[in-house]
Amino acid sequence: MRWASSRRSVATLAILVVAGLTLGCSGGGEESPTGASEGLQIADVEFLSLQLANEARSSQKVKPALGREPAASQVARRHSEAMRDEGFFGHTNKNGDGLRRRLDKAGVQYSAAAENLAEVHHRSRPAQLAHEQLMASASHRKNILNPKYRLAGVGVAKAGDTYWITQIFIKP
């Protein structure tokens, strides 16, 4: 009985967290030092982006769920920040480094990797809008639903109402 109660508590907490992320928990629209609105932090958008990818995989019966790869997340965040700061949108940065070179420089181990990029302009629903855009594109959808990928890193950068979202998918 105690275990069932604990499972309900965890499920309730998860629902509250997701509801809070989905609603955006408006904090008056003031900017924090990280550039995110008070109610929707960069980490929230990164978390929700990975969660939405896993929900899509689950709905299509794709296993396994993607685990978070912290080093790939750092690579993804740096790429999103570079797109924001250097004014470009693409898989190759201004130094000519594509995904594999960026992963290699960071020491990320992989046998296969893929990357999705999204740029959205919406303060309260950036992860959801990016996910919808990515799932509407055959090549991006294929990356999200590819069962060979077991790990993912998500990185987000923000300026004003614009979010740059990088998803990196890894086969160890």
Side-chain angles (χ1 to χ4, degrees), residues 10-55:
V10 169
T12 301
L13 178 60
I15 289 168
L16 291 173
V17 168
V18 170
L21 290 173
T22 302
L23 294 174
C25 300
S26 176
E30 293 186 31
E31 298 292 324
S32 75
T34 64
S37 67
E38 290 289 285
L40 190 61
Q41 301 296 319
I42 295 297
D44 297 335
V45 179
E46 291 170 345
F47 173 82
L48 189 53
S49 180
L50 181 57
Q51 181 181 19
L52 290 167
N54 275 327
E55 287 175 7

Side-chain angles (χ1 to χ4, degrees), residues 12-153:
T12 301
L13 178 60
I15 289 168
L16 291 173
V17 168
V18 170
L21 290 173
T22 302
L23 294 174
C25 300
S26 176
E30 293 186 31
E31 298 292 324
S32 75
T34 64
S37 67
E38 290 289 285
L40 190 61
Q41 301 296 319
I42 295 297
D44 297 335
V45 179
E46 291 170 345
F47 173 82
L48 189 53
S49 180
L50 181 57
Q51 181 181 19
L52 290 167
N54 275 327
E55 287 175 7
R57 287 169 71 95
S58 177
S59 74
Q60 297 297 312
K61 300 185 180 7
V62 175
K63 292 183 181 181
L66 295 163
R68 184 177 174 276
E69 209 307 319
S73 294
Q74 287 299 316
V75 171
R77 186 179 278 185
R78 282 194 303 269
H79 190 66
S80 291
E81 290 169 347
M83 287 190 294
R84 175 196 64 201
D85 298 342
E86 298 170 16
F88 73 95
F89 184 79
H91 296 283
T92 303
N93 66 22
K94 296 278 184 159
N95 296 329
D97 296 338
L99 173 62
R100 284 164 182 75
R101 181 175 234 157
R102 288 183 275 119
L103 290 172
D104 291 345
K105 283 182 175 180
V108 177
Q109 299 294 310
Y110 63 94
S111 62
E115 180 175 65
N116 286 348
L117 304 176
E119 181 180 324
V120 296
H121 308 277
H122 199 283
R123 182 176 294 269
S124 64
R125 297 185 59 237
Q128 294 91 337
L129 293 176
H131 181 72
E132 290 167 12
Q133 290 174 7
L134 294 169
M135 291 300 286
S137 161
S139 61
H140 296 101
R141 178 183 173 90
K142 182 178 177 183
N143 288 339
I144 292 169
L145 299 179
N146 192 328
K148 78 177 176 184
Y149 298 124
R150 312 252 173 197
L151 300 170

